[in-house]
Amino acid sequence: GAGVSQSPSNKVTEKGKDVELRCDPISGHTALYWYRQSLGQGLEFLIYFQGNSAPDKSGLPSDRFSAERTGGSVSTLTIQRTQQEDSAVYLCASRRGALYNSPLHFGNGTRLTVT
Amino acid sequence: KQEVTQIPAALSVPEGENLVLNCSFTDSAIYNLQWFRQDPGKGLTSLLLIQSSQREQTSGRLNASLDKSSGRSTLYIAASQPGDSATYLCAVTMTDSWGKLQFGAGTQVVVTP
């Protein structure tokens, strides 16, 4: 596609429910990142996928968070038993290959509100 | 641990003035530094990427400089326009971080007509 696509754009859920956030990276981009942006905070790294390598999960805040990437393309971020502190904008980004000197392209994010 | 700081947190200038945005980082072992723009309710748009071996990059009215040894980068926007109003973020890629970007908190810019 033309850019990184994320769905849904907005999600309101009740505390304790599970949510799934989806990211479609730019076609051909093998590197995919998830970041979280909380109100008034900077971007917080969550997880990184590069090709078939084991993902870097070092940024996931708790074991309620998990992510997978199927077929090296679409990625899903799952948050189980959501808490109010999970409310944030979840941003997905992709990059062409492992070329760290290629720019990162971001989607418009999913705004998650936990009530 | 790398820390990325952007000062000021907010800036307001009249249209036509040049903008100067600052970014500093504590660990000089970076692969590159990237400047992004974020409009309200949107994702980030990449503006400029400077490799660690470069001193500056230019694109139109934008110019970014990098002084790796002193841990600083500056984004200059010439002849600002109301459409330049946005939040500007800088991010560094560490050499040992598998391509993860470490972001500053951003500078919110308002250009008044």
Side-chain angles (χ1 to χ4, degrees), chain B residues 24-74:
Chain B
S24 62
F25 46 94
T26 54
D27 187 342
S28 63
I30 66 170
Y31 205 88
N32 58 44
L33 184 144
Q34 204 164 339
W35 282 95
F36 294 87
R37 167 188 173 133
Q38 186 174 29
D39 294 286
K42 300 289 187 181
L44 280 69
T45 300
S46 178
L47 298 175
L48 290 168
L49 183 150
I50 314 176
Q51 299 180 30
S52 61
S53 58
Q54 296 177 320
R55 299 283 293 182
E56 67 176 346
Q57 277 284 354
T58 298
S59 176
R61 293 185 295 114
L62 276 60
N63 174 278
S65 66
L66 175 65
D67 184 341
K68 197 174 78 162
S69 61
S70 66
R72 286 189 291 200
S73 177
T74 302

Side-chain angles (χ1 to χ4, degrees), chain A residues 33 35 37 48 95 100-101, chain B residues 32 34 38 98-101:
Chain A
Y33 302 75
Y35 281 85
Q37 188 174 34
Y48 165 52
R95 191 204 307 254
Y100 299 157
N101 279 326
Chain B
N32 58 44
Q34 204 164 339
Q38 186 174 29
W98 290 74
K100 283 186 296 190
L101 271 68

Side-chain angles (χ1 to χ4, degrees), chain A residues 6-21 34-39 46 64-65 77-91 108-115:
Chain A
Q6 291 188 246
S7 61
S9 55
N10 282 284
K11 176 72 176 179
V12 180
T13 190
E14 291 179 355
K15 178 181 171 181
K17 295 285 179 80
D18 297 352
V19 295
E20 282 191 354
L21 312 180
W34 284 97
Y35 281 85
R36 177 167 73 173
Q37 188 174 34
S38 303
L39 189 63
L46 297 177
R64 295 186 295 104
F65 288 72
L77 177 68
T78 301
I79 309 173
Q80 295 178 310
R81 305 181 303 282
T82 52
Q83 303 294 313
Q84 288 187 328
E85 62 262 28
D86 300 334
S87 296
V89 176
Y90 290 81
L91 292 164
N108 284 334
T110 293
R111 181 175 298 277
L112 175 66
T113 303
V114 182
T115 62

